[in-house]
Amino acid sequence: MKPKVNQAGPTPADSSGSDLHLELSDGPGGRRGALMRALREAVRTGRLTPGTRLPPYRSLATDLGLARNTVAEAYAELVAEGWLTARQGSGTRVAHRAEPPSPQRPRKPTTPSRPRRPAYDLVQGTPDASAFPRTAWIAATRRALTAAPHEAFGPGDPRGRPELRRAVAEYLARARGVRADPQRIVICSGFAGALRLLGRVLDGTVAVESYGLGFHRSLLTAAGLATATLPIDEHGARVDRLRETRARTVLLTPAHQFPTGGPLQPARRAALVDWAVEEDGLVLEDDYDGEFRYDRQPVGAVQGLDPERVVYIGSVSKSLSPALRLGWMVLPGHLVDAVLAVKGERESWASALEQLALADFIASGSYDRHVRRMRRHYRRRRDRLVAVLAERAPHVRITGVAAGLHAVLGLPPGTERAVVRAAAWQGLAVEGLELYRHGEATGVPDDGLVVGYGTPPEHAFAGALDALCQALPPSS
Amino acid sequence: MKPKVNQAGPTPADSSGSDLHLELSDGPGGRRGALMRALREAVRTGRLTPGTRLPPYRSLATDLGLARNTVAEAYAELVAEGWLTARQGSGTRVAHRAEPPSPQRPRKPTTPSRPRRPAYDLVQGTPDASAFPRTAWIAATRRALTAAPHEAFGPGDPRGRPELRRAVAEYLARARGVRADPQRIVICSGFAGALRLLGRVLDGTVAVESYGLGFHRSLLTAAGLATATLPIDEHGARVDRLRETRARTVLLTPAHQFPTGGPLQPARRAALVDWAVEEDGLVLEDDYDGEFRYDRQPVGAVQGLDPERVVYIGSVSKSLSPALRLGWMVLPGHLVDAVLAVKGERESWASALEQLALADFIASGSYDRHVRRMRRHYRRRRDRLVAVLAERAPHVRITGVAAGLHAVLGLPPGTERAVVRAAAWQGLAVEGLELYRHGEATGVPDDGLVVGYGTPPEHAFAGALDALCQALPPSS
């Protein structure tokens, strides 16, 4: 159905070429001279960098409205002059030669280079990146994008793709005991993304556990909310002291207190929901690693006890990869519209295509298989940590339950900073407990290490454990 | 390397099963009775929805520490009771029966259903979603994820993947005349994502064009910035009036004024850079559809004139799909650290895996091929629009140059709202120009339609044009 009216100028070349922006100016040598000057200028100023492939001369000729010979001759002369190289099968490229100095191009990088990576990494927060299920993920992407309706490639619904909300609802109900209705799920880019959105919906004071990620507290503060600290002990957060904080919202890690590692005691789970009912309070349940429990079935989500008082928040950052930037909130009915209002008319963050891939990954059973595989993997890691400590540092105590991707090692009083420094000397990155302390706590070691045993690739784990043991203080 | 110490409890099942959260309580019937009660409860409360597949009895037995027979018998009895169904090859699933009423489950959806889609859509802003290059994108994903280093599956660098920054730098330099150094590129989730980050770095007043997206202005205001309006005329923004606004930053669409369609005149491009040098000003260059020019080679980016005074911002939202949420900023050297500081230590939004896929998509030439194919596609669309109007509504004038994915149709004075309403009656969604007007302008029709000819799938385009012509006012 080619139209008869041809309002536009020269016919664009076919799609087999590539685009090259050039401004031809008048001067000696006619069109060929102008083209050569423009190409030399683009190479000289560094805009076209060595190795850049130029369009085939046919397509550039059509794009610029020049004769093919003109472009072919200009290319040939610039090859002869050393600006370009031409090789059979590789096309015409900008020559690899010393880049000319240019005032526009700073000699040193504008950002300082990051500190060199240590040899071993036991910093908590990252799953074993070498265990990402590449093949299964690629297959899910292929199936999902092949089957997707056209509208999936248009602007995204801020609630998230319906396919993903259905898959997440089914999974969370089955595996985590969440009462999940796809209508109440909002997809977001990880836990931080959820907290940023909720921060714009909530008001007043939010209570946070006395041990936790300072980053989460900062996000709440940045959203203009006040925060109060709720003490923790060996049975989890002291929910009996919620009323003192005057907070109407509380952010908790009930399945596995972060980072100290205790699950919230059953009586306290009940007391938490009672508080929410009596005070019209809201619980933000951060279920960051709820899938990974090694000594028994995981404790179900608190959300299952009262879906109208609890926002359940999860993500794939620990279970699959933090590189994906996908998470979810299961919201009480009365908060759905408010969260969508702050999200805006269209999805601004989470890729719809990756949402479709994850939906397929979950619905096809690949997610369950991966979680169950990683559960064995991390459990073996934790068992090895326990075994090595029992043998080489029996005076160091592991706190918390057998769960998650990290453990806290209690250290002799006053030794934490020295141990972190000693670890650095061993080429081991690991964090002290004080980084996570924001207030009062009992039943938690004053000095400790947060050991992310999930982080290293398999081949580096033994070395990381060895470096850890070298850094630990000797038995006194 | 199975460790000798086995600190944790029951051995988890192999990874072939799936997870099912159940809390077994004491009561009659022993373990089997407890399991049946827990399963009935999960179905009755709606936590396990009809069709949900239960784990194979072997894996559930291992997970719960029960005998296989106990689980197999419980499954069989619940099938007999009608709670579950068992079919060869499909496993055991929750039966499809009328869902029981539940007080926790609201009868009507908590969010109002969206208004029904009109039959035809000429609302600007979206590329033809049916033209997404699925096969090439899947192939790029496969290649990129197969080749990626393990660290790509860990936490992301806030600057973005180096592979993508290199590919974008090469492409922008070649195709858009941008002076792009990968060290100065920061990846973000689309134009809005860039503006949100810049809003936290800039201060003072930002001048915006008198026609544009209200959403962009709102993002600046939400970041605490003041905005001033810069008039436009048929030659683009009146940069000669920048000093009056007292703004130190200006947000412009130089390649194709949005939505009125004129490129910024060459003399004004020079005057803009002069202003920036003299007043220590900053230009935010929104190059939202710079790849799509049909009557000549696209005008190069203003950024090429002075990379230290211009932030170049682009994305794949028009060229590929807004579903991807990927864009980029090319920053002056002095802004790189400030933007990275507000982004934080880790990438919170853009998926590293999709960044890798896009890097491969660009570097392999698929992006150039797609852009060139879509350029022909949209050019044909625009030509058809021009031809249809010439025949059926010759009194309606198209403003702006032959470029982009939309055109502005000038309407007889006082008719705009009536035309938009008439279009709705024809089942056509299209927007009036007044939605985009924020201030003074000359050379722009007072009444007009913004026609997104790129939006409809191919099969719906003729119908959309017909509905449009039906809605236009008759020649007077």
Side-chain angles (χ1 to χ4, degrees):
Chain A
M1 296 236 287
K2 187 119 195 210
K4 283 180 193 132
V5 174
N6 194 334
Q7 196 226 18
T11 307
D14 64 60
S15 59
S16 64
S18 61
D19 284 0
L20 176 62
H21 176 78
L22 290 173
E23 313 247 357
L24 304 191
S25 55
D26 292 338
R31 306 285 272 164
R32 193 182 76 187
L35 176 58
M36 288 176 62
R37 277 194 304 280
L39 282 168
R40 278 197 213 99
E41 173 70 11
V43 174
R44 186 165 42 224
T45 58
R47 178 164 74 83
L48 294 180
T49 52
T52 297
R53 185 173 183 158
L54 300 186
Y57 67 87
R58 285 180 199 80
S59 97
L60 187 63
T62 317
D63 286 357
L64 295 177
L66 300 175
R68 289 184 185 181
N69 267 355
T70 307
V71 180
E73 286 167 21
Y75 276 18
E77 285 200 43
L78 290 171
V79 169
E81 288 178 11
W83 295 89
L84 306 178
T85 59
R87 196 163 299 166
Q88 198 67 34
S90 157
T92 305
R93 294 177 183 268
V94 176
H96 279 280
R97 55 196 182 75
E99 271 184 76
S102 155
Q104 252 86 13
R105 197 168 258 265
R107 280 172 189 278
K108 47 182 183 181
T110 50
T111 47
S113 58
R114 313 225 137 196
R116 209 141 40 111
R117 276 175 179 273
Y120 300 111
D121 187 357
L122 289 174
V123 173
Q124 69 73 32
T126 311
D128 178 353
S130 73
F132 185 83
R134 301 186 190 211
T135 310
W137 184 261
I138 292 168
T141 302
R142 181 175 45 71
R143 286 191 302 264
L145 295 200
T146 305
H150 285 321
E151 52 87 14
F153 301 92
D157 185 323
R159 288 178 293 191
R161 288 297 306 174
E163 297 89 340
L164 180 57
R165 288 185 286 122
R166 281 197 297 271
V168 164
E170 190 273 336
Y171 174 78
L172 292 180
R174 172 167 56 73
R176 299 294 299 124
V178 172
R179 292 190 194 234
D181 177 338
Q183 294 290 331
R184 294 187 178 188
I185 291 182
V186 173
I187 301 300
C188 51
S189 44
F191 183 83
L195 212 51
R196 283 190 179 95
L197 291 169
L198 289 167
R200 293 169 60 194
V201 168
L202 303 172
D203 51 24
T205 300
V206 180
V208 298
E209 293 166 305
S210 57
Y211 276 70
L213 277 183
F215 177 52
H216 292 170
R217 194 165 193 161
S218 306
L219 287 176
L220 295 169
T221 312
L225 296 164
T227 59
T229 308
L230 189 65
I232 64 165
D233 64 17
E234 62 275 32
H235 303 300
R238 292 281 307 272
V239 297
D240 58 308
R241 292 181 57 182
L242 261 175
R243 281 181 181 82
E244 287 170 33
T245 66
R246 299 179 173 276
R248 289 275 298 281
T249 307
V250 59
L251 171 60
L252 293 175
T253 49
H256 190 215
Q257 203 286 325
F258 182 83
T260 63
L264 190 64
Q265 220 188 19
R268 291 196 185 172
R269 293 162 68 95
L272 175 65
V273 172
D274 288 347
W275 165 83
V277 171
E278 284 158 27
E279 305 286 331
D280 196 19
L282 184 72
V283 179
L284 309 183
E285 179 172 23
D286 176 3
D287 197 37
Y288 65 104
D289 67 359
E291 297 90 347
F292 297 117
R293 181 86 190 245
Y294 312 126
D295 54 345
R296 48 156 285 165
Q297 276 243 303
V299 181
V302 169
Q303 192 266 6
L305 301 177
D306 194 343
E308 284 300 315
R309 305 281 177 188
V310 181
V311 180
Y312 175 91
I313 311 170
S315 82
V316 300
S317 298
K318 301 285 184 292
S319 60
L320 201 49
S321 167
L324 279 172
R325 311 314 312 142
L326 284 176
W328 40 78
M329 288 181 264
V330 187
L331 292 161
H334 62 94
L335 281 181
V336 173
D337 286 345
V339 168
L340 291 177
V342 299
K343 253 198 120 174
E345 251 179 84
R346 295 171 168 198
E347 173 64 56
S348 278
W349 298 284
S351 159
L353 308 193
E354 215 147 60
Q355 291 182 53
L356 289 170
L358 180 59
D360 180 285
F361 194 79
I362 295 173
S364 66
S366 297
Y367 190 74
D368 270 283
R369 276 190 293 279
H370 180 69
V371 164
R372 293 170 72 86
R373 187 165 69 85
M374 296 313 287
R375 196 182 286 146
R376 288 190 299 158
H377 181 61
Y378 294 135
R379 180 196 166 154
R380 279 198 296 265
R381 289 268 177 103
R382 191 176 191 281
D383 288 346
R384 281 169 69 183
L385 172 67
V386 169
V388 162
L389 289 177
E391 192 186 318
R392 294 179 56 183
H395 55 295
V396 170
R397 175 172 70 92
I398 295 200
T399 70
V401 293
L405 283 65
H406 74 275
V408 170
L409 312 192
L411 295 175
T415 64
E416 180 180 309
R417 291 188 184 190
V419 171
V420 172
R421 274 198 304 272
W425 276 105
Q426 299 291 335
L428 170 68
V430 66
E431 290 174 342
L433 196 48
E434 73 170 336
L435 278 180
Y436 299 93
R437 183 184 301 124
H438 310 296
E440 195 190 335
T442 51
V444 171
D446 280 331
D447 284 65
L449 284 187
V450 183
V451 173
Y453 52 77
T455 308
E458 193 61 24
H459 65 83
F461 189 56
L465 284 187
D466 186 59
L468 176 67
C469 289
Q470 305 260 10
L472 290 174
S475 167
S476 56
Chain B
M1 295 236 288
K2 187 116 194 204
K4 282 179 194 134
V5 172
N6 195 335
Q7 195 223 20
T11 306
D14 65 61
S15 59
S16 65
S18 61
D19 283 0
L20 177 62
H21 175 77
L22 290 173
E23 312 247 357
L24 304 192
S25 54
D26 292 336
R31 305 286 272 163
R32 194 181 74 185
L35 176 58
M36 289 178 62
R37 276 194 304 280
L39 281 168
R40 277 197 215 97
E41 173 71 9
V43 175
R44 186 165 42 224
T45 57
R47 178 164 75 83
L48 294 180
T49 52
T52 297
R53 187 173 183 160
L54 300 186
Y57 67 87
R58 284 181 199 78
S59 97
L60 188 62
T62 317
D63 286 356
L64 295 177
L66 300 175
R68 288 184 185 183
N69 266 355
T70 306
V71 180
E73 286 167 21
Y75 275 17
E77 285 199 44
L78 291 171
V79 168
E81 288 178 11
W83 295 89
L84 306 178
T85 59
R87 197 163 299 167
Q88 197 67 34
S90 157
T92 305
R93 292 177 186 268
V94 176
H96 278 280
R97 55 195 184 77
E99 270 183 75
S102 155
Q104 252 86 11
R105 196 169 259 261
R107 283 175 188 274
K108 46 181 183 181
T110 49
T111 48
S113 59
R114 313 225 138 197
R116 209 143 35 113
R117 275 174 180 273
Y120 300 111
D121 187 357
L122 289 174
V123 173
Q124 70 74 33
T126 311
D128 179 355
S130 72
F132 185 84
R134 301 187 191 209
T135 309
W137 184 261
I138 291 167
T141 302
R142 181 175 45 70
R143 286 191 302 264
L145 296 200
T146 305
H150 285 321
E151 53 86 15
F153 301 92
D157 185 323
R159 289 177 293 189
R161 289 296 306 174
E163 296 89 340
L164 180 57
R165 289 184 287 121
R166 279 197 298 271
V168 164
E170 189 275 337
Y171 174 78
L172 293 179
R174 173 168 55 75
R176 299 293 302 125
V178 172
R179 292 189 193 234
D181 176 338
Q183 294 289 333
R184 295 187 178 188
I185 291 182
V186 173
I187 300 300
C188 50
S189 44
F191 183 83
L195 212 51
R196 282 190 178 95
L197 291 169
L198 289 168
R200 294 169 59 195
V201 168
L202 303 172
D203 51 23
T205 300
V206 180
V208 298
E209 294 167 304
S210 58
Y211 277 71
L213 277 183
F215 176 52
H216 292 172
R217 194 165 192 160
S218 306
L219 287 176
L220 295 170
T221 312
L225 296 164
T227 59
T229 308
L230 189 65
I232 63 164
D233 64 17
E234 61 275 30
H235 304 301
R238 293 281 306 273
V239 296
D240 57 309
R241 293 180 57 181
L242 260 174
R243 282 182 181 81
E244 287 169 34
T245 66
R246 298 179 174 277
R248 290 274 299 280
T249 307
V250 59
L251 171 61
L252 293 175
T253 49
H256 189 215
Q257 204 286 324
F258 183 83
T260 63
L264 191 64
Q265 220 187 18
R268 291 195 185 172
R269 294 162 66 95
L272 175 64
V273 172
D274 288 347
W275 165 83
V277 170
E278 284 157 27
E279 305 287 331
D280 195 20
L282 185 71
V283 179
L284 309 181
E285 179 172 25
D286 176 5
D287 197 36
Y288 65 104
D289 68 358
E291 296 90 347
F292 297 117
R293 181 85 190 245
Y294 313 126
D295 54 344
R296 49 157 285 165
Q297 277 243 305
V299 181
V302 170
Q303 192 267 4
L305 300 178
D306 194 343
E308 284 301 315
R309 305 280 176 188
V310 181
V311 179
Y312 175 91
I313 311 170
S315 81
V316 300
S317 297
K318 301 285 183 292
S319 59
L320 201 48
S321 167
L324 280 171
R325 312 315 312 144
L326 283 177
W328 41 77
M329 289 181 264
V330 186
L331 292 161
H334 62 94
L335 281 180
V336 173
D337 286 345
V339 168
L340 291 176
V342 299
K343 255 197 119 175
E345 251 179 85
R346 295 172 168 198
E347 173 63 57
S348 277
W349 298 283
S351 157
L353 307 193
E354 215 147 61
Q355 291 183 53
L356 289 170
L358 180 59
D360 181 284
F361 194 79
I362 295 173
S364 65
S366 297
Y367 190 74
D368 270 283
R369 277 191 291 278
H370 179 69
V371 164
R372 293 170 72 86
R373 186 165 69 86
M374 295 313 287
R375 195 182 286 146
R376 288 190 300 156
H377 181 61
Y378 294 134
R379 181 196 165 154
R380 280 198 296 264
R381 289 268 178 104
R382 190 175 191 280
D383 288 347
R384 282 170 68 183
L385 172 67
V386 169
V388 162
L389 290 177
E391 192 186 317
R392 295 180 56 182
H395 55 295
V396 170
R397 177 171 69 93
I398 297 200
T399 70
V401 294
L405 284 62
H406 74 276
V408 171
L409 312 191
L411 295 174
T415 64
E416 180 179 308
R417 292 190 183 188
V419 171
V420 171
R421 273 197 305 271
W425 276 103
Q426 299 290 336
L428 170 68
V430 66
E431 290 174 341
L433 196 48
E434 71 171 337
L435 279 180
Y436 299 94
R437 182 185 301 123
H438 311 296
E440 195 190 335
T442 50
V444 171
D446 281 330
D447 283 64
L449 285 186
V450 183
V451 174
Y453 52 78
T455 307
E458 193 61 23
H459 66 84
F461 189 56
L465 285 186
D466 186 58
L468 175 67
C469 288
Q470 304 260 9
L472 290 174
S475 167
S476 55

